[in-house]
Every structure is written in C-alpha cells, then in structure tokens.
C-alpha cells in the first residue's frame, strides 16, 4: 500500500493500541537495517534504499496499517510484554513525550515528508564489552568471540551457541545521506556502540539548518568524555539529553561493564553534570539501569543511587534470554520478591516462565566469561552465584 493511501485511512482519533513511532520515527544502524522503533521492532534490511525510500517502504506501510486497524503487531512484543507487566513501554513513553503529534503532525500529513524523530545506532564501535551486550553493538568482542569459537568449538553464529563472535567489521552510519529528510526532525537519539566515540554524526549536526529547534539525546556508557568539537555543536541545539548507563557501582560496574573502571566513570559523570554550567543550551541528564539475572538482587541499591541524582529509566534485558529475570527458576524469583521492592522489576518476573535449558546457559556463560576475562562473578554477586547451584 502506498504511503498516501495509508494517510487517508487514519481515523480522527488514534486507536487504543496505536503507536506513533511508525509515523514519526526512524531507526538506522550501520548495516542498512531500518526500524521505526528504538528497540528495533519490525527491523528490515534496506541497504540499497535511500532514507526517503525506506520511509515509504511497503514493509513500513504494512506496519502502519496494522496500527490503524487497531491491532497489536507481533513485531512489537516487547512493548506489549512490558505493558502487561505494568511497566511503561516505549510506545507509551513516546505518546507521553509527543502528546500532540497525532493531531499536529500525523493527521496533518506532515509525516509524509519524513520523520519527526530519528534514532541512530551510530556504529558498533565501543570501548567496552558489557556482559549484557554483544558484537552487534560493540567491536570489543572480536578477540573474545574468536576465543569461544576455538575453545568450545562453537562456530561463529548465535545459532551455534556463540553470540559473541564478531562477524562484521566496525562501521558507521553515513549521516550525510539523511540531510534530504532532516527538515522535519525535532529530536535525534544517538546510541552505539558508544556515541561519544562517533565522529560521523557530527556531519549531520553541523549541517542541519535549524538546530535551535531540535533536541539531541545520547545514551553513554560513562567512560568517554564528550569532545570539544561535540560540545561546540551541541551549543547550537535547543536541548541536550544524556542518559548515563550504570548497572552497578564499584566492582559491580567493572564486572558488568568490562573493561570499564569505576574511577574513570565517576570522572565522566562529573564532567557530564558540569555541562549544565558549561553549555549555552539546556542540558538534561538521567540514569539508565539495565536489569538482568546478573544484578537483580542489587536492583534497589543501584536504583536508589540513580534516584539520588535524578530521573532513572529501567531497561529489562530480553536478549539473550539467559539474562532475562523472567527466565530464572521460580525459587529465585520468590527470593527476589521477598528481597527487592522495585515494582517495575517485580512486575517483569512473570512476563515469561522458567526454562531449564536457558538457565543452564546463564551458568555456562558466567563461567566462560569469568575464565576468559579473569574475573569472578561469584565474588562480585555472591548471592546469585550461590543460588545458581543450589538446585
């Protein structure tokens, strides 16, 4: 179905489960994968299409049509699962962030000319190899993935059990090709890899015609200082939002965010906080906490650490499955219910059920990564480690 035909089907008011993202957002990665969602729902390979052709693709129009019909597309399972668990989903947050976009941007037909927001996974270049991450977001797994391939005869694909093998060389999104559809943009989100290491996105920032109307968002691992060139570019924009990803402090940070150092993270956090006094534009900072089976018993501690500094967003690990708290054994889930108080996390425990094979993978990979990295998960998170082998 053509994009204009999709527009003509829009009702006066959005259906109950409507998501505005397919009509006002685009997400790009360095390898030509495109999605309307920051989480990658409905991701397609469009390597040979221009950004405008991607915006008008049949695949994206089919997804738009599903939302117009009031359906809950399977591709968007993450939001449906979070909403069922009582957690505010990305779909709901986007409606809250842009409360008037349905009437003032979508129904008016402005969306036909291009997205209002763009999410860029700018590259897979990163200086960390976090245990909850993988080579799709960090080239730092190159040697580690090769080690697992040779040591455990795992092959080079997730389907063979080696999700850490780096199959593609480091790449950066070609930002300049998005200039033709940038006139609608009011918010740009940059993820990685590590966006503070990415230079190519400056090509877009420095070429935008009306940056004073645009908000920039960054998700950073807090181990890299923003450069002077980046700060100069930021000064031209309406607002800079920085989400600082911290899943544990001190030795917990260093195990989860290998090979990051907590002392360096504190220095970068201080520098980011000081941007409010250093830049001419508005600066907003927040915390981001990724919750997995690795750190679930420490959730209240790290959440309170974030909350003492400001707002905090909780990100629940869904992939790999062995890190999902919803896949933990029931006896561990029960202990979590007794020992932590965070309602978002508690609600997520029942999104899925225990799977013995998946749980075995958790134990296998904690051990393998300990051996390769010369670390000790058991020393850093002793409670979960003792429970892993209790039954």
């Amino acid at each position: 179905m053509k994009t204009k035909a999709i527009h003509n089907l829009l009702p006066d008011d959005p259906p109950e489960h409507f998501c505005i993202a397919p009509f006002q957002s685009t997400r790009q990665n360095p390898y030509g994968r495109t999605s309307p969602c920051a989480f990658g729902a409905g991701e397609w390979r469009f390597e040979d299409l221009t950004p405008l052709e991607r915006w008008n693709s049949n695949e994206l129009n089919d997804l738009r049509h599903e939302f117009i019909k009031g359906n809950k597309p399977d591709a968007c399972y993450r939001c449906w699962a979070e909403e069922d668990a009582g957690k505010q989903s990305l779909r709901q947050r986007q409606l809250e962030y842009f409360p008037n976009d349905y009437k003032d941007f979508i129904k008016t037909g402005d969306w036909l000319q291009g997205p209002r927001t763009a999410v860029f996974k700018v590259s897979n270049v990163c200086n960390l190899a976090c245990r909850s991450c993988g080579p799709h977001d960090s080239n730092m797994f190159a040697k580690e993935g090769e080690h697992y391939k040779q040591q455990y005869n795992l092959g080079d694909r997730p389907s063979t059990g080696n999700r850490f093998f780096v199959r593609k060389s480091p790449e950066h999104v070609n930002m300049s090709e998005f200039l033709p559809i940038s006139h609608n943009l009011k918010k740009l989100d940059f993820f990685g890899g590590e966006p503070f290491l990415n230079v190519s996105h400056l090509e877009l920032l420095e070429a935008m015609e009306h940056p004073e109307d645009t908000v920039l968002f960054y998700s950073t691992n807090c181990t890299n200082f923003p450069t002077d060139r980046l700060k100069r570019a930021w000064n031209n924009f309406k607002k800079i939002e920085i989400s600082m990803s911290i899943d544990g402090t001190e030795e917990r940070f260093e195990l989860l965010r290998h090979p990051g150092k907590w002392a360096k993270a504190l220095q970068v956090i201080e520098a980011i906080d000081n941007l409010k006094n250093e830049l001419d534009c508005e600066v907003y900072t927040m915390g981001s906490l990724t919750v997995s089976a690795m750190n679930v018993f420490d959730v209240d501690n790290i959440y309170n650490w974030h909350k003492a500094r400001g707002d905090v967003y909780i990100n629940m690990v869904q992939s790999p499955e062995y890190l999902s708290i919803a896949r933990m054994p029931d006896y561990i889930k029960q202990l979590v219910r007794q020992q932590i108080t965070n309602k978002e996390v508690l609600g997520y425990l029942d999104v899925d059920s225990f799977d013995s094979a998946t749980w075995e993978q958790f134990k296998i990979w904690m051990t393998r990564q300990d051996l390769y990295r010369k670390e000790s998960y058991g020393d850093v998170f002793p409670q979960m480690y003792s429970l892993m082998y209790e039954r």
Side-chain angles (χ1 to χ4, degrees):
M1 189 177 292
K2 299 295 184 182
T3 308
K4 184 64 176 178
I6 289 290
H7 178 73
N8 292 335
L9 294 175
L10 286 165
D12 290 338
D13 296 303
E16 179 183 358
H17 302 295
F18 192 82
C19 180
I20 62 174
F23 299 84
Q24 57 98 268
S25 183
T26 185
R27 173 185 183 263
Q28 310 290 327
N29 82 357
Y31 304 106
R33 290 182 177 271
T34 299
S35 169
C37 173
F39 289 153
E43 191 172 59
W44 307 285
R45 288 183 176 274
F46 288 152
E47 296 97 328
D48 300 325
L49 300 185
T50 67
L52 185 59
E53 290 170 336
R54 297 172 190 178
W55 187 244
N56 292 297
S57 67
N58 291 331
E59 292 85 348
L60 184 51
N61 281 335
D62 287 343
L63 183 63
R64 289 165 175 154
H65 195 201
E66 287 296 302
F67 281 113
I68 289 174
K69 291 187 293 185
N71 294 334
K72 297 170 69 175
D74 292 342
C76 307
Y77 66 90
R78 177 167 177 166
C79 279
W80 312 134
E82 290 183 347
E83 291 173 24
D84 288 344
K87 174 178 168 56
Q88 188 181 43
S89 68
L90 179 61
R91 181 187 76 88
Q92 293 170 323
R93 295 201 309 278
Q94 197 145 354
L95 284 166
E96 186 178 277
Y97 197 98
F98 297 99
N100 301 315
D101 262 26
Y102 187 79
K103 292 188 179 298
D104 296 344
F105 181 72
I106 297 173
K107 278 293 289 180
T108 60
D110 290 347
W111 72 277
L112 297 169
Q113 307 305 314
R116 171 90 85 183
T117 70
V119 177
F120 293 102
K121 292 181 72 68
V122 290
S123 75
N124 70 335
V125 175
C126 190
N127 61 311
L128 301 185
C130 304
R131 289 205 182 202
S132 58
C133 193
H136 51 284
D137 285 331
S138 175
N139 63 317
M140 279 288 287
F141 284 97
K143 292 182 179 179
E144 189 167 353
E146 180 64 32
H147 167 80
Y148 297 140
K149 176 183 177 181
Q150 301 297 330
Q151 182 71 19
Y152 304 106
N153 193 29
L154 292 180
D156 59 5
R157 296 175 182 271
S159 60
T160 63
N162 189 1
R163 75 178 193 90
F164 298 105
F165 189 83
V166 177
R167 298 178 56 237
K168 294 183 177 181
S169 59
E171 296 284 351
H172 297 270
V173 172
N174 180 4
M175 293 292 176
S176 60
E177 69 177 5
F178 289 90
L179 282 172
I181 62 166
S182 67
H183 52 278
N184 268 347
L185 290 176
K186 297 299 180 185
K187 187 168 187 286
L188 284 77
D189 296 355
F190 297 105
F191 295 83
E194 169 52 42
F196 284 1
L197 293 177
N198 178 266
V199 177
S200 65
H201 85 285
L202 282 160
E203 299 171 5
L204 180 60
L205 300 190
E206 293 170 346
M208 290 185 66
E209 293 184 4
H210 299 289
E212 68 277 5
D213 298 325
T214 304
V215 176
L216 305 181
F217 171 91
Y218 291 81
S219 175
T220 179
N221 62 32
C222 295
T223 59
N224 299 277
F225 295 99
T227 65
D228 289 340
R229 182 184 173 189
L230 185 55
K231 288 187 282 188
R232 286 194 298 271
W234 283 349
N235 261 331
N236 297 315
F237 285 82
K238 178 180 179 180
K239 183 180 181 181
I240 308 301
E241 300 177 346
I242 301 177
S243 175
M244 294 179 275
S245 297
I246 304 289
D247 311 327
T249 58
E250 300 174 334
E251 72 274 10
R252 293 173 291 279
F253 174 87
E254 295 184 358
L255 182 130
L256 296 170
R257 298 274 175 175
H258 176 90
K261 299 300 179 184
W262 180 240
K264 175 70 174 293
L266 288 175
Q267 294 173 357
V268 174
I269 291 169
E270 182 180 8
I272 291 173
D273 287 341
N274 287 338
L275 291 173
K276 297 175 182 178
N277 302 317
E278 187 177 349
L279 299 182
D280 297 329
C281 61
E282 182 181 355
V283 177
Y284 166 77
T285 61
M286 64 176 293
S288 177
L289 163 58
T290 298
V291 177
S292 71
M294 293 184 291
N295 65 342
V296 65
F297 283 107
D298 190 47
V299 160
D300 283 347
N301 292 330
I302 186 58
Y303 181 85
N304 291 336
W305 181 89
H306 276 296
K307 203 63 183 172
R309 296 177 35 79
D311 295 333
V312 54
Y313 170 70
I314 293 180
N315 177 46
M316 306 301 304
V317 173
Q318 287 192 324
S319 177
E321 278 192 78
Y322 67 77
L323 291 182
S324 171
I325 65 170
R327 290 300 215 173
M328 299 188 305
D330 292 338
Y331 72 94
I332 295 182
K333 289 184 180 182
Q334 188 58 33
L335 284 173
V336 171
R337 293 186 183 97
Q338 294 170 4
Q339 295 183 25
I340 73 166
T341 61
N342 189 281
K343 291 182 179 179
E344 278 192 55
V345 176
L346 293 174
Y348 200 81
L349 289 170
D350 296 321
V351 166
D352 214 329
S353 57
F354 169 61
D355 179 79
S356 59
T358 299
W359 186 242
E360 189 63 28
Q361 286 297 303
F362 176 72
K363 292 187 282 187
I364 287 172
W365 282 107
M366 290 305 99
T367 300
R368 287 175 176 173
Q369 291 194 290
D370 276 354
L371 291 171
Y372 178 80
R373 298 177 174 197
K374 296 179 173 57
E375 296 174 339
S376 175
Y377 175 75
D379 288 345
V380 178
F381 293 99
Q383 182 177 7
M384 178 59 85
Y385 185 78
S386 64
L387 290 169
M388 286 164 54
Y389 300 100
E390 188 171 289
R391 301 183 187 180

